[in-house]
Amino acid sequence: MTTSTPPVGPRDIALAHYAGRALLETVLTRHGITFQQSVTLRLAALADGPVGREQIVDGVTGALKIDTAEVHRVLDELIAAQLLTPEGASDVRITDAGRELYATTSGETAPITARIYDGIPTEDLAVTGRVLSLITERAGTELTALRR
């Protein structure tokens, strides 16, 4: 008898998300940084020089679906920890310490991610990527409607 794999559902996606986030947070905690701080620091690390504070706020609120006030608080925490530094009136720049922390945590999580994805066919990852993008887009639309 052949058993088929049931289609993915919201619980499956949530379980995968939380499993991956737990791994990441375990690494981040060892370095004294939170998940929100890591997401925020990443945007500054990927910028080519100073980046607008509001640009980071928009990026983090869009990614994490959190309140802008919380992102401003996280930015202030990163500045207080000297991982970011203010640049001009409305920009921030990642510091050497911030860049080093980002590189360290990225370096520690990369092999974990590689092991998780190892052996998953490229075609399956492509389909999964398309499906998750569509789900994310639709969920974003629904969230916007609920917040009106």
Side-chain angles (χ1 to χ4, degrees), residues 66-146:
I66 60 176
D67 186 80
T68 59
E70 185 174 349
V71 182
H72 282 288
R73 181 186 52 76
V74 169
L75 279 165
D76 291 340
E77 291 169 355
L78 291 170
I79 290 168
Q82 298 180 341
L83 300 171
L84 295 178
T85 189
E87 182 96 3
S90 60
D91 293 346
V92 294
R93 176 189 295 272
I94 192 166
T95 63
D96 290 342
R99 192 165 302 287
E100 182 179 328
L101 178 60
Y102 175 74
T104 298
T105 57
S106 296
E108 288 182 25
T109 57
I112 298 168
T113 301
R115 287 190 300 272
I116 292 169
Y117 283 79
D118 185 45
I120 300 174
T122 304
E123 309 81 44
D124 290 353
L125 293 173
V127 170
T128 302
R130 286 192 300 273
V131 170
L132 290 176
S133 291
L134 183 57
I135 290 169
T136 300
E137 179 184 328
R138 289 179 178 180
T141 299
E142 292 295 329
L143 183 60
T144 299
L146 286 173

Side-chain angles (χ1 to χ4, degrees), residues 7-40:
V8 70
R11 183 174 187 275
D12 302 306
I13 293 168
L15 290 174
H17 163 76
Y18 286 117
R21 184 164 169 177
L23 288 167
L24 175 59
E25 286 182 336
T26 300
V27 170
L28 297 175
T29 298
R30 287 197 303 254
H31 296 283
I33 187 171
T34 67
F35 178 72
Q36 289 84 356
Q37 289 171 336
S38 173
V39 171
T40 305

